[in-house]
Amino acid sequence: MDTQSSSSTVRDHVLQPLEEAGLSGFHWRTWLTAGMGFFTDAYDLFIIGVVTSLLTPLWHLTTLDLMLLNSTALFAAVLGALIFGRLMDRLGRKTVYGIEAMLLTGGAILSAFAPNVWLLLVFRFIVGMGVGGDYPMSGIIMSEYSNRKRRGFLVNAVFAMQGFGLLVGPAVAAALLASGVPDATAWRLMLGLGAIPAGSVIWLRRSIAETPHFMLGARGDAAGAAQVVGTLTAKTVAAATQSVKPLANSARVLFTNRRFLLTLIGTAFSWMFLDMAFYGNSVSSSLIMKALSPTGSLLTHTLTSMVIFLVAAVPGYWISALTIDRLGRKFIQVMGFAVMAVAYGILWLAPGIAQQTTEFLLVYGVSYLFIEFGPNSTTFVFPSEVFPVTVRGLGFGISASAGKFGAAIAAFLFPVLLVRLQLSGTMGLLAGISALGVVLTLLALRESKGLTLREASQEALLEAPAADGTLAQGN
Protein backbone atom coordinates (compact mmCIF):
# COMPACT_ATOMS: atom_id res chain seq x y z
CA MET A 1 0.00 0.00 0.00
CA ASP A 2 1.53 3.38 -1.02
CA THR A 3 1.77 6.36 1.34
CA GLN A 4 -1.20 8.20 -0.20
CA SER A 5 -3.52 5.18 0.02
CA SER A 6 -2.35 4.46 3.56
CA SER A 7 -2.95 8.04 4.64
CA SER A 8 -6.43 8.02 3.13
CA THR A 9 -7.29 4.79 4.94
CA VAL A 10 -6.04 6.15 8.27
CA ARG A 11 -8.05 9.37 7.88
CA ASP A 12 -11.22 7.42 7.13
CA HIS A 13 -10.61 5.06 10.08
CA VAL A 14 -10.00 7.83 12.63
CA LEU A 15 -12.92 9.99 11.48
CA GLN A 16 -15.52 7.24 11.08
CA PRO A 17 -16.68 7.24 14.75
CA LEU A 18 -17.19 11.01 14.54
CA GLU A 19 -19.17 10.71 11.30
CA GLU A 20 -21.44 8.01 12.75
CA ALA A 21 -21.86 9.43 16.29
CA GLY A 22 -25.25 10.64 17.52
CA LEU A 23 -25.92 14.19 18.67
CA SER A 24 -24.37 14.97 22.05
CA GLY A 25 -24.06 17.82 24.51
CA PHE A 26 -20.81 18.82 22.79
CA HIS A 27 -22.66 19.40 19.52
CA TRP A 28 -25.17 21.68 21.25
CA ARG A 29 -22.44 23.65 23.06
CA THR A 30 -20.59 24.12 19.79
CA TRP A 31 -23.84 25.22 18.12
CA LEU A 32 -24.47 27.87 20.77
CA THR A 33 -20.84 29.02 20.77
CA ALA A 34 -20.85 29.41 17.00
CA GLY A 35 -24.42 30.66 16.69
CA MET A 36 -24.10 33.71 18.92
CA GLY A 37 -21.93 35.36 16.28
CA PHE A 38 -24.73 35.02 13.75
CA PHE A 39 -27.24 36.33 16.27
CA THR A 40 -25.02 39.42 16.51
CA ASP A 41 -24.64 39.63 12.74
CA ALA A 42 -28.40 39.67 12.18
CA TYR A 43 -29.05 42.05 15.07
CA ASP A 44 -26.52 44.45 13.61
CA LEU A 45 -27.89 43.96 10.09
CA PHE A 46 -31.32 45.18 11.13
CA ILE A 47 -30.38 47.78 13.71
CA ILE A 48 -28.23 49.92 11.41
CA GLY A 49 -31.31 50.78 9.34
CA VAL A 50 -33.07 52.17 12.43
CA VAL A 51 -29.89 53.90 13.60
CA THR A 52 -29.46 55.74 10.31
CA SER A 53 -33.11 56.84 10.48
CA LEU A 54 -32.46 58.36 13.91
CA LEU A 55 -29.12 59.88 12.92
CA THR A 56 -30.35 61.54 9.73
CA PRO A 57 -31.92 64.57 11.48
CA LEU A 58 -29.40 64.54 14.35
CA TRP A 59 -26.27 64.60 12.20
CA HIS A 60 -27.91 65.98 9.03
CA LEU A 61 -26.88 62.91 7.05
CA THR A 62 -26.78 63.12 3.29
CA THR A 63 -27.80 60.32 0.92
CA LEU A 64 -24.10 59.47 0.54
CA ASP A 65 -23.73 59.25 4.32
CA LEU A 66 -26.66 56.81 4.45
CA MET A 67 -25.22 54.71 1.66
CA LEU A 68 -21.85 54.49 3.41
CA LEU A 69 -23.28 53.70 6.85
CA ASN A 70 -25.51 50.96 5.41
CA SER A 71 -22.70 49.33 3.46
CA THR A 72 -19.37 49.91 5.24
CA ALA A 73 -19.66 46.90 7.57
CA LEU A 74 -20.59 44.72 4.59
CA PHE A 75 -17.61 45.88 2.52
CA ALA A 76 -15.39 45.17 5.54
CA ALA A 77 -16.94 41.71 5.82
CA VAL A 78 -15.65 40.96 2.31
CA LEU A 79 -12.10 41.47 3.58
CA GLY A 80 -12.74 39.76 6.92
CA ALA A 81 -14.04 36.56 5.34
CA LEU A 82 -11.00 36.28 3.05
CA ILE A 83 -8.46 36.99 5.79
CA PHE A 84 -9.95 34.72 8.44
CA GLY A 85 -10.73 32.01 5.90
CA ARG A 86 -7.11 31.74 4.82
CA LEU A 87 -5.71 32.15 8.34
CA MET A 88 -7.75 29.23 9.64
CA ASP A 89 -6.30 27.03 6.90
CA ARG A 90 -2.73 28.12 7.59
CA LEU A 91 -2.70 28.45 11.39
CA GLY A 92 -5.54 26.15 12.43
CA ARG A 93 -9.11 26.62 13.56
CA LYS A 94 -8.30 26.81 17.27
CA THR A 95 -5.54 29.41 16.85
CA VAL A 96 -7.82 31.91 15.14
CA TYR A 97 -11.27 31.20 16.58
CA GLY A 98 -12.51 33.91 18.94
CA ILE A 99 -10.57 36.81 17.42
CA GLU A 100 -13.53 37.63 15.17
CA ALA A 101 -15.80 37.75 18.25
CA MET A 102 -13.39 40.24 19.84
CA LEU A 103 -13.72 42.46 16.77
CA LEU A 104 -17.52 42.22 16.91
CA THR A 105 -17.53 43.14 20.59
CA GLY A 106 -15.00 45.94 20.41
CA GLY A 107 -16.49 47.41 17.24
CA ALA A 108 -19.98 47.53 18.75
CA ILE A 109 -18.77 49.28 21.91
CA LEU A 110 -16.73 51.81 19.95
CA SER A 111 -19.65 52.47 17.59
CA ALA A 112 -21.86 53.36 20.54
CA PHE A 113 -19.45 56.16 21.50
CA ALA A 114 -18.76 57.49 18.00
CA PRO A 115 -18.69 61.32 18.05
CA ASN A 116 -19.22 61.81 14.31
CA VAL A 117 -20.11 59.99 11.12
CA TRP A 118 -16.50 59.42 10.02
CA LEU A 119 -15.44 57.65 13.20
CA LEU A 120 -18.69 55.70 13.17
CA LEU A 121 -17.72 54.47 9.71
CA VAL A 122 -14.31 53.35 11.05
CA PHE A 123 -15.91 51.48 13.95
CA ARG A 124 -18.49 49.93 11.62
CA PHE A 125 -15.58 48.70 9.53
CA ILE A 126 -14.22 46.87 12.59
CA VAL A 127 -17.62 45.29 13.18
CA GLY A 128 -17.70 44.21 9.55
CA MET A 129 -14.30 42.54 9.81
CA GLY A 130 -15.65 40.50 12.71
CA VAL A 131 -18.83 39.62 10.82
CA GLY A 132 -16.85 38.50 7.79
CA GLY A 133 -14.46 36.42 9.88
CA ASP A 134 -17.29 34.73 11.73
CA TYR A 135 -18.73 33.17 8.58
CA PRO A 136 -15.93 30.75 7.66
CA MET A 137 -14.80 30.21 11.25
CA SER A 138 -18.12 29.20 12.81
CA GLY A 139 -19.53 27.40 9.78
CA ILE A 140 -16.48 25.21 9.26
CA ILE A 141 -15.89 24.40 12.93
CA MET A 142 -19.50 23.22 13.25
CA SER A 143 -19.22 21.24 10.02
CA GLU A 144 -15.98 19.54 11.03
CA TYR A 145 -17.41 18.48 14.39
CA SER A 146 -20.71 17.23 12.94
CA ASN A 147 -21.78 13.73 11.99
CA ARG A 148 -22.67 12.53 8.52
CA LYS A 149 -26.44 12.28 8.95
CA ARG A 150 -27.08 15.54 10.83
CA ARG A 151 -24.34 17.82 9.51
CA GLY A 152 -26.76 19.87 7.45
CA PHE A 153 -29.01 20.39 10.47
CA LEU A 154 -26.17 21.44 12.78
CA VAL A 155 -24.53 23.86 10.37
CA ASN A 156 -27.93 25.25 9.35
CA ALA A 157 -28.89 25.62 13.03
CA VAL A 158 -25.79 27.77 13.62
CA PHE A 159 -26.92 30.05 10.83
CA ALA A 160 -30.53 29.95 12.06
CA MET A 161 -29.46 32.01 15.05
CA GLN A 162 -29.71 34.89 12.61
CA GLY A 163 -33.47 34.51 12.84
CA PHE A 164 -33.45 35.36 16.53
CA GLY A 165 -31.14 38.31 15.86
CA LEU A 166 -33.54 39.59 13.20
CA LEU A 167 -36.33 39.35 15.77
CA VAL A 168 -34.47 40.87 18.72
CA GLY A 169 -33.17 43.77 16.61
CA PRO A 170 -36.55 45.38 15.94
CA ALA A 171 -37.78 44.39 19.42
CA VAL A 172 -34.93 46.34 21.04
CA ALA A 173 -35.40 49.23 18.63
CA ALA A 174 -39.16 49.34 19.27
CA ALA A 175 -38.67 49.21 23.04
CA LEU A 176 -36.23 52.11 22.99
CA LEU A 177 -38.37 54.15 20.60
CA ALA A 178 -41.47 53.60 22.73
CA SER A 179 -39.73 54.23 26.04
CA GLY A 180 -39.17 57.92 25.49
CA VAL A 181 -35.37 57.60 25.51
CA PRO A 182 -33.98 60.55 23.52
CA ASP A 183 -32.99 59.66 19.98
CA ALA A 184 -29.44 60.86 20.68
CA THR A 185 -29.14 58.16 23.35
CA ALA A 186 -31.29 55.46 21.74
CA TRP A 187 -29.10 54.93 18.70
CA ARG A 188 -25.99 54.54 20.88
CA LEU A 189 -27.74 51.93 23.01
CA MET A 190 -28.90 50.08 19.93
CA LEU A 191 -25.36 49.75 18.60
CA GLY A 192 -23.71 49.10 21.97
CA LEU A 193 -26.05 46.23 22.88
CA GLY A 194 -24.62 44.30 19.94
CA ALA A 195 -21.48 43.71 22.02
CA ILE A 196 -23.28 41.46 24.52
CA PRO A 197 -23.97 38.28 22.49
CA ALA A 198 -20.58 38.30 20.77
CA GLY A 199 -18.69 39.07 23.98
CA SER A 200 -20.43 36.27 25.86
CA VAL A 201 -18.77 33.54 23.77
CA ILE A 202 -15.22 34.85 23.38
CA TRP A 203 -13.84 32.54 26.08
CA LEU A 204 -15.78 29.54 24.76
CA ARG A 205 -14.41 30.10 21.28
CA ARG A 206 -10.84 30.55 22.44
CA SER A 207 -10.98 27.30 24.45
CA ILE A 208 -12.46 25.01 21.78
CA ALA A 209 -10.26 22.07 20.71
CA GLU A 210 -8.70 21.79 17.27
CA THR A 211 -10.92 19.80 14.90
CA PRO A 212 -9.87 16.22 14.04
CA HIS A 213 -10.37 16.94 10.33
CA PHE A 214 -7.77 19.72 10.41
CA MET A 215 -5.38 17.72 12.58
CA LEU A 216 -5.43 14.85 10.07
CA GLY A 217 -5.69 16.71 6.78
CA ALA A 218 -3.42 19.69 7.41
CA ARG A 219 -0.98 18.38 10.04
CA GLY A 220 -0.99 14.63 9.59
CA ASP A 221 -1.50 14.19 13.34
CA ALA A 222 -3.40 10.89 13.42
CA ALA A 223 -2.70 10.22 17.11
CA GLY A 224 -3.96 13.64 18.20
CA ALA A 225 -7.05 13.39 16.03
CA ALA A 226 -7.79 9.90 17.34
CA GLN A 227 -7.61 11.19 20.90
CA VAL A 228 -10.06 14.04 20.20
CA VAL A 229 -12.48 11.73 18.37
CA GLY A 230 -12.28 9.22 21.21
CA THR A 231 -13.05 11.89 23.78
CA LEU A 232 -16.02 13.24 21.82
CA THR A 233 -17.57 9.88 20.95
CA ALA A 234 -16.62 7.94 24.13
CA LYS A 235 -15.17 5.25 21.88
CA THR A 236 -11.66 3.85 21.68
CA VAL A 237 -10.03 5.01 18.47
CA ALA A 238 -6.70 3.34 17.83
CA ALA A 239 -3.96 5.87 17.20
CA ALA A 240 -2.41 5.13 13.83
CA THR A 241 1.28 4.28 13.61
CA GLN A 242 1.45 4.70 9.84
CA SER A 243 2.75 7.87 8.29
CA VAL A 244 -0.12 10.24 7.46
CA LYS A 245 0.79 12.68 4.74
CA PRO A 246 -0.88 16.11 4.98
CA LEU A 247 -2.97 17.21 2.02
CA ALA A 248 -1.86 19.99 -0.30
CA ASN A 249 -2.37 23.39 1.31
CA SER A 250 -1.94 25.61 -1.72
CA ALA A 251 -4.61 28.10 -2.69
CA ARG A 252 -4.11 27.18 -6.33
CA VAL A 253 -5.89 23.82 -5.93
CA LEU A 254 -9.19 25.72 -5.95
CA PHE A 255 -8.38 27.23 -9.32
CA THR A 256 -6.37 24.52 -11.12
CA ASN A 257 -8.77 21.65 -10.47
CA ARG A 258 -11.85 22.01 -12.67
CA ARG A 259 -14.21 20.35 -10.20
CA PHE A 260 -13.17 22.61 -7.34
CA LEU A 261 -13.29 25.68 -9.57
CA LEU A 262 -16.83 24.91 -10.77
CA THR A 263 -17.88 24.31 -7.17
CA LEU A 264 -16.31 27.61 -6.10
CA ILE A 265 -18.14 29.46 -8.87
CA GLY A 266 -21.38 27.84 -7.70
CA THR A 267 -20.97 28.64 -4.01
CA ALA A 268 -19.59 32.15 -4.50
CA PHE A 269 -22.00 33.51 -7.10
CA SER A 270 -25.13 31.88 -5.68
CA TRP A 271 -24.26 33.53 -2.35
CA MET A 272 -23.70 36.82 -4.13
CA PHE A 273 -27.08 36.65 -5.89
CA LEU A 274 -28.82 35.73 -2.64
CA ASP A 275 -27.24 38.52 -0.62
CA MET A 276 -27.92 41.13 -3.25
CA ALA A 277 -31.61 40.40 -2.80
CA PHE A 278 -31.62 39.67 0.93
CA TYR A 279 -29.36 42.39 2.34
CA GLY A 280 -30.80 45.10 0.13
CA ASN A 281 -34.18 44.18 1.55
CA SER A 282 -33.13 43.86 5.17
CA VAL A 283 -30.79 46.81 5.56
CA SER A 284 -33.33 49.07 3.91
CA SER A 285 -36.42 47.52 5.49
CA SER A 286 -37.25 50.83 7.17
CA LEU A 287 -37.06 52.55 3.77
CA ILE A 288 -39.32 49.88 2.25
CA MET A 289 -41.82 50.35 5.06
CA LYS A 290 -41.70 54.11 4.54
CA ALA A 291 -42.27 53.70 0.80
CA LEU A 292 -45.24 51.45 1.57
CA SER A 293 -46.66 53.68 4.31
CA PRO A 294 -45.27 57.23 4.00
CA THR A 295 -47.30 58.56 6.92
CA GLY A 296 -46.38 55.78 9.35
CA SER A 297 -43.98 56.45 12.22
CA LEU A 298 -40.55 54.84 12.61
CA LEU A 299 -41.97 52.83 15.53
CA THR A 300 -44.82 51.53 13.36
CA HIS A 301 -42.41 50.56 10.59
CA THR A 302 -40.11 48.83 13.07
CA LEU A 303 -42.96 46.82 14.60
CA THR A 304 -44.17 45.85 11.13
CA SER A 305 -40.71 44.56 10.28
CA MET A 306 -40.61 42.59 13.54
CA VAL A 307 -43.92 40.88 12.72
CA ILE A 308 -42.61 39.92 9.26
CA PHE A 309 -39.46 38.45 10.81
CA LEU A 310 -41.49 36.58 13.46
CA VAL A 311 -44.03 35.13 11.05
CA ALA A 312 -41.79 34.45 8.04
CA ALA A 313 -38.06 34.69 8.67
CA VAL A 314 -37.63 32.81 11.96
CA PRO A 315 -39.76 29.80 10.94
CA GLY A 316 -38.00 29.70 7.57
CA TYR A 317 -34.56 29.24 9.14
CA TRP A 318 -35.74 26.32 11.26
CA ILE A 319 -37.83 24.65 8.56
CA SER A 320 -34.66 24.62 6.51
CA ALA A 321 -32.58 23.23 9.37
CA LEU A 322 -35.09 20.45 10.09
CA THR A 323 -35.49 19.36 6.47
CA ILE A 324 -32.09 19.94 4.86
CA ASP A 325 -30.76 16.44 5.56
CA ARG A 326 -33.86 14.90 3.98
CA LEU A 327 -34.69 17.25 1.11
CA GLY A 328 -31.09 18.07 0.32
CA ARG A 329 -29.17 21.32 0.00
CA LYS A 330 -29.57 21.66 -3.77
CA PHE A 331 -33.33 21.14 -3.82
CA ILE A 332 -33.92 23.71 -1.06
CA GLN A 333 -31.65 26.27 -2.75
CA VAL A 334 -33.30 25.94 -6.16
CA MET A 335 -36.78 26.03 -4.62
CA GLY A 336 -35.97 29.11 -2.54
CA PHE A 337 -34.49 31.07 -5.43
CA ALA A 338 -37.48 30.16 -7.61
CA VAL A 339 -40.07 31.33 -5.06
CA MET A 340 -38.08 34.53 -4.48
CA ALA A 341 -38.11 35.20 -8.22
CA VAL A 342 -41.88 34.68 -8.38
CA ALA A 343 -42.59 36.80 -5.29
CA TYR A 344 -40.41 39.69 -6.41
CA GLY A 345 -41.83 39.33 -9.93
CA ILE A 346 -45.37 39.79 -8.60
CA LEU A 347 -44.33 42.95 -6.78
CA TRP A 348 -42.75 44.18 -10.01
CA LEU A 349 -45.45 43.25 -12.53
CA ALA A 350 -48.33 44.28 -10.29
CA PRO A 351 -47.07 47.64 -8.98
CA GLY A 352 -50.54 48.52 -7.74
CA ILE A 353 -50.13 45.93 -5.01
CA ALA A 354 -47.83 48.37 -3.22
CA GLN A 355 -50.94 50.41 -2.50
CA GLN A 356 -52.63 47.39 -0.89
CA THR A 357 -50.80 47.01 2.39
CA THR A 358 -52.11 43.54 3.30
CA GLU A 359 -51.45 42.04 -0.13
CA PHE A 360 -47.99 43.60 -0.33
CA LEU A 361 -46.95 42.36 3.10
CA LEU A 362 -48.26 38.87 2.28
CA VAL A 363 -46.09 38.57 -0.84
CA TYR A 364 -43.16 40.28 0.89
CA GLY A 365 -43.49 37.83 3.80
CA VAL A 366 -43.56 34.81 1.46
CA SER A 367 -40.33 36.03 -0.12
CA TYR A 368 -38.76 36.24 3.34
CA LEU A 369 -39.92 32.74 4.26
CA PHE A 370 -38.33 31.20 1.18
CA ILE A 371 -35.18 33.26 1.54
CA GLU A 372 -34.60 31.56 4.89
CA PHE A 373 -36.11 28.21 3.87
CA GLY A 374 -33.92 28.46 0.82
CA PRO A 375 -30.63 29.98 -0.31
CA ASN A 376 -29.94 32.12 2.75
CA SER A 377 -29.40 28.88 4.66
CA THR A 378 -27.97 26.64 1.96
CA THR A 379 -25.39 29.13 0.68
CA PHE A 380 -23.93 28.95 4.19
CA VAL A 381 -24.08 25.14 4.44
CA PHE A 382 -22.64 24.30 1.02
CA PRO A 383 -19.16 25.91 1.40
CA SER A 384 -18.70 24.36 4.84
CA GLU A 385 -18.79 20.92 3.18
CA VAL A 386 -17.66 20.95 -0.43
CA PHE A 387 -13.99 22.01 -0.24
CA PRO A 388 -11.02 19.93 0.98
CA VAL A 389 -9.99 20.60 4.58
CA THR A 390 -6.74 22.41 3.76
CA VAL A 391 -8.49 24.99 1.57
CA ARG A 392 -11.94 24.83 3.16
CA GLY A 393 -11.48 28.15 4.94
CA LEU A 394 -10.33 29.83 1.74
CA GLY A 395 -13.17 28.36 -0.30
CA PHE A 396 -15.69 29.41 2.33
CA GLY A 397 -14.00 32.80 2.68
CA ILE A 398 -14.16 33.50 -1.06
CA SER A 399 -17.81 32.41 -1.14
CA ALA A 400 -18.76 34.53 1.87
CA SER A 401 -16.78 37.47 0.47
CA ALA A 402 -18.66 37.24 -2.81
CA GLY A 403 -21.90 37.22 -0.85
CA LYS A 404 -20.93 40.17 1.28
CA PHE A 405 -19.72 42.07 -1.79
CA GLY A 406 -23.14 41.59 -3.36
CA ALA A 407 -24.75 42.60 -0.07
CA ALA A 408 -22.61 45.72 0.18
CA ILE A 409 -23.41 46.76 -3.37
CA ALA A 410 -27.13 46.24 -2.72
CA ALA A 411 -27.08 48.12 0.58
CA PHE A 412 -25.08 50.94 -1.01
CA LEU A 413 -27.40 51.30 -3.99
CA PHE A 414 -30.76 50.37 -2.48
CA PRO A 415 -31.67 53.87 -1.21
CA VAL A 416 -30.99 55.26 -4.69
CA LEU A 417 -32.80 52.40 -6.46
CA LEU A 418 -35.93 52.98 -4.37
CA VAL A 419 -35.91 56.60 -5.55
CA ARG A 420 -34.98 55.98 -9.21
CA LEU A 421 -36.84 52.73 -9.91
CA GLN A 422 -39.51 53.05 -7.25
CA LEU A 423 -40.51 50.05 -5.16
CA SER A 424 -41.86 47.99 -8.09
CA GLY A 425 -38.82 48.50 -10.32
CA THR A 426 -36.46 47.56 -7.51
CA MET A 427 -38.39 44.35 -6.90
CA GLY A 428 -38.14 43.53 -10.63
CA LEU A 429 -34.36 43.77 -10.40
CA LEU A 430 -34.36 41.40 -7.42
CA ALA A 431 -36.56 38.95 -9.37
CA GLY A 432 -33.98 38.76 -12.15
CA ILE A 433 -31.15 38.20 -9.70
CA SER A 434 -33.09 35.40 -8.00
CA ALA A 435 -33.70 33.68 -11.36
CA LEU A 436 -29.95 33.68 -12.02
CA GLY A 437 -29.52 31.87 -8.69
CA VAL A 438 -31.75 29.02 -9.89
CA VAL A 439 -29.72 28.52 -13.07
CA LEU A 440 -26.34 28.66 -11.33
CA THR A 441 -27.32 26.18 -8.62
CA LEU A 442 -28.55 23.65 -11.17
CA LEU A 443 -25.38 23.90 -13.25
CA ALA A 444 -22.58 24.21 -10.71
CA LEU A 445 -23.40 22.48 -7.41
CA ARG A 446 -23.68 18.80 -6.48
CA GLU A 447 -25.73 17.36 -3.62
CA SER A 448 -23.83 16.58 -0.40
CA LYS A 449 -26.53 15.23 1.92
CA GLY A 450 -25.72 11.95 3.65
CA LEU A 451 -22.06 11.98 2.60
CA THR A 452 -19.13 12.01 4.98
CA LEU A 453 -17.31 15.33 5.04
CA ARG A 454 -14.39 13.79 3.17
CA GLU A 455 -16.75 12.47 0.48
CA ALA A 456 -18.64 15.75 0.19
CA SER A 457 -15.38 17.71 -0.16
CA GLN A 458 -13.89 15.29 -2.72
CA GLU A 459 -10.64 15.16 -0.78
CA ALA A 460 -9.68 12.07 -2.78
CA LEU A 461 -8.76 14.44 -5.61
CA LEU A 462 -5.92 15.75 -3.42
CA GLU A 463 -4.82 12.22 -2.57
CA ALA A 464 -4.51 11.03 -6.18
CA PRO A 465 -1.69 12.78 -8.05
CA ALA A 466 -1.71 12.68 -11.82
CA ALA A 467 0.82 10.66 -13.80
CA ASP A 468 3.18 13.64 -14.10
CA GLY A 469 3.18 14.17 -10.32
CA THR A 470 0.89 17.20 -10.36
CA LEU A 471 -2.53 17.45 -8.77
CA ALA A 472 -5.21 15.52 -10.61
CA GLN A 473 -7.28 18.05 -12.52
CA GLY A 474 -10.70 16.38 -12.54
CA ASN A 475 -13.29 16.78 -15.25
Side-chain angles (χ1 to χ4, degrees):
M1 182 180 292
D2 60 34
T3 302
Q4 290 286 2
S5 298
S6 176
S7 296
S8 178
T9 301
V10 170
R11 279 190 278 267
D12 288 334
H13 168 72
V14 172
L15 294 171
Q16 183 181 10
L18 185 63
E19 292 283 6
E20 302 301 330
L23 297 185
S24 66
F26 173 79
H27 288 117
W28 297 116
R29 288 193 300 274
T30 305
W31 162 70
L32 183 61
T33 300
M36 290 308 289
F38 289 94
F39 176 97
T40 305
D41 176 25
Y43 172 89
D44 186 71
L45 164 67
F46 176 85
I47 213 71
I48 190 61
V50 182
V51 167
T52 53
S53 295
L54 294 176
L55 281 178
T56 296
L58 293 173
W59 285 1
H60 308 291
L61 298 181
T62 64
T63 299
L64 178 60
D65 292 333
L66 289 173
M67 294 165 71
L68 290 173
L69 283 171
N70 280 340
S71 61
T72 292
L74 295 170
F75 278 118
V78 173
L79 185 61
L82 286 173
I83 291 174
F84 278 88
R86 194 53 182 151
L87 282 177
M88 69 186 297
D89 286 339
R90 302 294 295 182
L91 304 179
R93 283 58 164 141
K94 176 179 175 59
T95 302
V96 182
Y97 202 35
I99 297 175
E100 74 296 323
M102 296 178 190
L103 292 175
L104 283 169
T105 304
I109 294 172
L110 289 170
S111 296
F113 291 96
N116 54 59
V117 68
W118 299 111
L119 279 177
L120 181 56
L121 288 172
V122 172
F123 300 149
R124 292 287 299 167
F125 188 89
I126 295 173
V127 170
M129 287 288 291
V131 168
D134 197 36
Y135 273 76
M137 289 299 311
S138 292
I140 287 174
I141 283 177
M142 189 74 259
S143 178
E144 292 182 352
Y145 272 122
S146 298
N147 59 45
R148 174 176 60 86
K149 294 181 179 179
R150 302 304 301 278
R151 187 175 62 247
F153 166 73
L154 288 168
V155 177
N156 205 151
V158 167
F159 195 66
M161 290 294 284
Q162 274 199 351
F164 297 123
L166 284 173
L167 189 60
V168 170
V172 168
L176 288 171
L177 292 172
S179 68
V181 174
D183 290 353
T185 302
W187 75 264
R188 296 184 185 276
L189 290 173
M190 291 176 191
L191 292 180
L193 288 172
I196 295 175
S200 67
V201 295
I202 290 175
W203 182 83
L204 290 173
R205 291 188 173 196
R206 295 301 297 159
S207 60
I208 201 166
E210 186 57 84
T211 71
H213 282 273
F214 184 83
M215 295 172 75
L216 278 167
R219 294 177 177 166
D221 184 3
Q227 182 178 5
V228 174
V229 171
T231 300
L232 295 179
T233 62
K235 294 182 178 179
T236 301
V237 182
T241 57
Q242 301 102 317
S243 172
V244 180
K245 186 176 181 179
L247 299 172
N249 191 5
S250 170
R252 76 184 188 91
V253 303
L254 287 177
F255 305 98
T256 57
N257 182 283
R258 288 189 291 275
R259 291 186 188 177
F260 294 152
L261 179 58
L262 180 62
T263 298
L264 182 62
I265 291 171
T267 58
F269 282 92
S270 61
W271 202 334
M272 177 184 287
F273 295 153
L274 175 276
D275 274 7
M276 289 178 74
F278 177 55
Y279 275 75
N281 251 353
S282 297
V283 171
S284 299
S285 59
S286 61
L287 296 178
I288 291 173
M289 294 300 109
K290 186 174 182 179
L292 182 63
S293 177
T295 59
S297 67
L298 179 58
L299 177 59
T300 300
H301 295 158
T302 301
L303 289 172
T304 302
S305 296
M306 186 173 69
V307 171
I308 292 174
F309 296 149
L310 176 63
V311 173
V314 175
Y317 280 107
W318 289 101
I319 294 172
S320 178
L322 293 170
T323 61
I324 193 169
D325 289 314
R326 294 196 300 274
L327 297 178
R329 291 80 162 130
K330 189 169 182 175
F331 173 82
I332 290 177
Q333 184 158 308
V334 169
M335 175 190 66
F337 269 131
V339 174
M340 287 167 59
V342 171
Y344 291 140
I346 291 172
L347 297 177
W348 168 46
L349 295 174
I353 200 173
Q355 311 305 317
Q356 307 296 322
T357 303
T358 301
E359 288 81 355
F360 177 90
L361 291 180
L362 178 62
V363 176
Y364 189 68
V366 167
S367 74
Y368 247 109
L369 175 64
F370 282 90
I371 284 174
E372 318 311 348
F373 178 33
N376 195 36
S377 296
T378 54
T379 53
F380 180 78
V381 175
F382 262 126
S384 75
E385 302 177 313
V386 295
F387 300 110
V389 63
T390 49
V391 289
R392 188 169 292 143
L394 178 61
F396 199 123
I398 292 173
S399 302
S401 291
K404 290 295 167 266
F405 181 76
I409 292 297
F412 185 79
L413 295 178
F414 217 78
V416 174
L417 291 174
L418 281 172
V419 172
R420 298 287 180 85
L421 302 180
Q422 302 298 312
L423 192 58
S424 62
T426 303
M427 292 299 156
L429 182 61
L430 299 185
I433 292 171
S434 300
L436 288 176
V438 172
V439 175
L440 182 65
T441 303
L442 290 172
L443 294 178
L445 295 174
R446 59 194 292 269
E447 185 53 65
S448 53
K449 71 173 182 177
L451 302 178
T452 68
L453 192 54
R454 278 175 40 78
E455 291 169 342
S457 63
Q458 302 181 81
E459 282 186 4
L461 292 177
L462 298 187
E463 297 169 339
D468 62 358
T470 61
L471 177 69
Q473 294 300 298
N475 296 311

